Amino acid sequence: MSALPVGATIGILGGGQLGRMLAVAASRLGLKTHIFEPGSAPPAGDVAHAVTMAAYTDAAALKAFAASVDVITYEFENIPTSALDILEALKPIHPNRNALATSQDRLTEKTFLRDLGLTTAPFAVVADAASLDAAIGTIGTPAILKTRTLGYDGKGQARLQSPDDATTALDAMAGAPALLEGFVDFTHEVSVIAARNPDGAVACYDPGENLHADGILRTTTVPARLSASQRTDAVLLAGQILNALDYVGVMGVELFVTSRGLVVNEIAPRVHNSGHWTQNGCTIDQFEQHIRAVAGWPLGDGTRHSNVTMENLIGDDMDRVPEAATSNAAIHLYGKAEVKPGRKMGHINRITGPA
Ligand code: AMP
């Protein structure tokens, strides 16, 4: 793929905060963005060159969108297959279809990771009470039952402390195909944000350490608590995943740190909440990096110049703005009009020192 010229247009599926920050990064590079979003008042719409508000089932809107852009990317992985079929015939989509399909289904994802030789939680497919019993027999408890598709921020998950929890957990899946995962005894969670461009160049950011509450990311801190060899392992396995998928763009790789090494939890084929710290910790942040990759431009390196703690502003956390804007705190707000419990409204990157 030849590099897109300045002035070219990048189509972004999804108009949330990730799309918004991608659009800002693209505009800094002299590129235009066109957002496709089914909902109303998309946060990315404030900062993009063009917005189409239409359903993913609207074939005419999808075709017109594709005709107006040079390349297509996305900010979330649950794009309906039928929409991709239409778009893919008209314009290149990065990251590719295989990367999307791999991350859309936890079974495909875990199988792919295991086949690469990486460590995942033990897993087994669950379709009904009998297969759940069988899965508990092989995996044991504690365990977590997760829907295979459409899970995010801890939604679509049920914990089983003992086999007695089987019925309640299965009910929580509401009939959706599921996967039982063995409980990983981790000390902490980290993620690697990694990028690959069409030439096969790879750049990884320093792993960040993630803290969740109620299944939602609260903070990411760099540097993470990792030994030098764990840090190398984390970055190498991310590169291995990108190469195996012939990936173009930024990916988030979530890892559990255990006494027996790193366990891959999941991959996200997009810019990632746990990579927001790069906006103020690195010269080239994850959003510019993703735009560079999908535009076929050279990647920036991932070198970190500052130590950062990123804190998500969720729901009422917004009440702390603007007081939270202390001299070492970069505030990033998403322009969402309505505050709702659990809704990501913005984030703060606090610089805690030089790297
Ligand atoms: P996920 O949606 O798969 O990222 O899961 C959300 C959170 O649940 C993770 O960040 C972990 O804190 C926890 N979790 C998920 N899977 C496991 C597992 N197999 N063992 C232990 N904790 C898990």
Side-chain angles (χ1 to χ4, degrees):
M1 170 187 162
S2 54
L4 287 185
V6 169
T9 302
I10 299 187
I12 302 177
L13 301 172
Q17 63 267 20
L18 300 179
R20 176 179 172 110
M21 292 183 275
L22 284 169
V24 169
S27 77
R28 278 202 313 265
L29 300 177
L31 298 164
K32 297 189 172 78
T33 48
H34 184 163
I35 306 292
F36 191 100
E37 163 66 44
S40 59
D46 295 348
V47 296
H49 182 71
V51 186
T52 295
M53 281 187 256
Y56 283 115
T57 48
D58 186 337
L62 288 167
K63 285 179 188 160
F65 168 77
S68 76
V69 304
D70 297 290
V71 66
I72 297 171
T73 187
Y74 44 89
E75 60 141 31
F76 79 119
E77 52 271 45
N78 292 319
I79 304 153
T81 309
S82 56
L84 293 169
D85 288 339
I86 292 171
L87 296 170
E88 199 175 47
L90 300 169
K91 287 290 153 64
I93 304 184
H94 297 305
N96 64 39
R97 192 73 181 262
N98 184 26
L100 254 182
T102 303
S103 64
Q104 279 179 341
D105 181 340
R106 289 188 195 274
L107 175 63
T108 319
E109 178 180 58
K110 286 239 166 13
T111 308
F112 160 76
L113 294 167
R114 192 185 56 190
D115 291 349
L116 267 186
L118 304 176
T119 309
T120 66
F123 60 94
V125 177
V126 170
D128 50 25
S131 49
L132 178 54
D133 278 351
I136 293 172
T138 43
I139 289 171
T141 52
I144 305 186
L145 191 62
K146 300 182 179 179
T147 54
R148 277 174 53 177
T149 59
L150 301 176
Y152 71 99
D153 283 350
K155 292 190 172 56
Q157 302 194 6
R159 296 200 175 200
L160 290 87
Q161 292 306 336
S162 78
D164 296 341
D165 297 332
T167 311
T168 322
L170 196 58
D171 287 349
M173 300 298 105
L179 206 65
L180 187 72
E181 284 185 25
F183 196 82
V184 177
D185 187 17
F186 59 83
T187 52
H188 51 296
E189 297 183 67
V190 300
S191 55
V192 182
I193 307 300
R196 187 172 178 277
N197 77 1
D199 296 334
V202 168
C204 294
Y205 293 101
D206 204 8
E209 182 168 334
N210 301 323
L211 269 186
H212 297 86
D214 303 325
I216 303 179
L217 183 69
R218 294 302 317 204
T219 62
T220 301
T221 301
V222 279
R225 284 172 297 154
L226 290 173
S227 66
S229 56
Q230 284 173 325
R231 210 170 287 276
T232 306
D233 282 348
V235 163
L236 287 178
L237 74 81
Q240 204 185 337
I241 292 169
L242 294 179
N243 277 342
L245 293 169
D246 194 19
Y247 194 87
V248 171
V250 162
M251 170 182 278
V253 182
E254 296 182 21
L255 304 168
F256 297 132
V257 183
T258 79
S259 56
R260 285 184 293 171
L262 301 175
V263 175
V264 187
N265 176 26
E266 62 181 8
I267 59 176
R270 53 173 169 77
V271 287
H272 199 254
N273 193 169
S274 69
H276 291 358
W277 66 267
T278 60
Q279 291 171 309
N280 302 99
C282 302
T283 304
I284 312 296
D285 68 29
Q286 65 163 347
F287 301 101
E288 176 171 341
Q289 193 78 300
H290 184 76
I291 296 294
R292 284 180 179 226
V294 303
W297 288 23
L299 295 180
D301 76 12
T303 305
R304 186 168 56 77
H305 56 62
S306 299
N307 296 343
V308 186
T309 293
M310 186 285 308
E311 182 195 355
N312 271 335
L313 296 171
I314 298 169
D316 289 343
D317 290 345
M318 276 297 278
D319 296 345
R320 286 164 32 212
V321 178
E323 287 73 20
T326 52
S327 61
N328 66 335
I331 308 254
H332 301 260
L333 301 181
Y334 307 150
K336 296 180 183 177
E338 204 185 338
V339 178
K340 290 187 203 158
R343 190 174 202 202
K344 291 176 180 168
M345 304 299 297
H347 64 272
I348 301 177
N349 286 330
R350 264 193 205 86
I351 305 296
T352 54

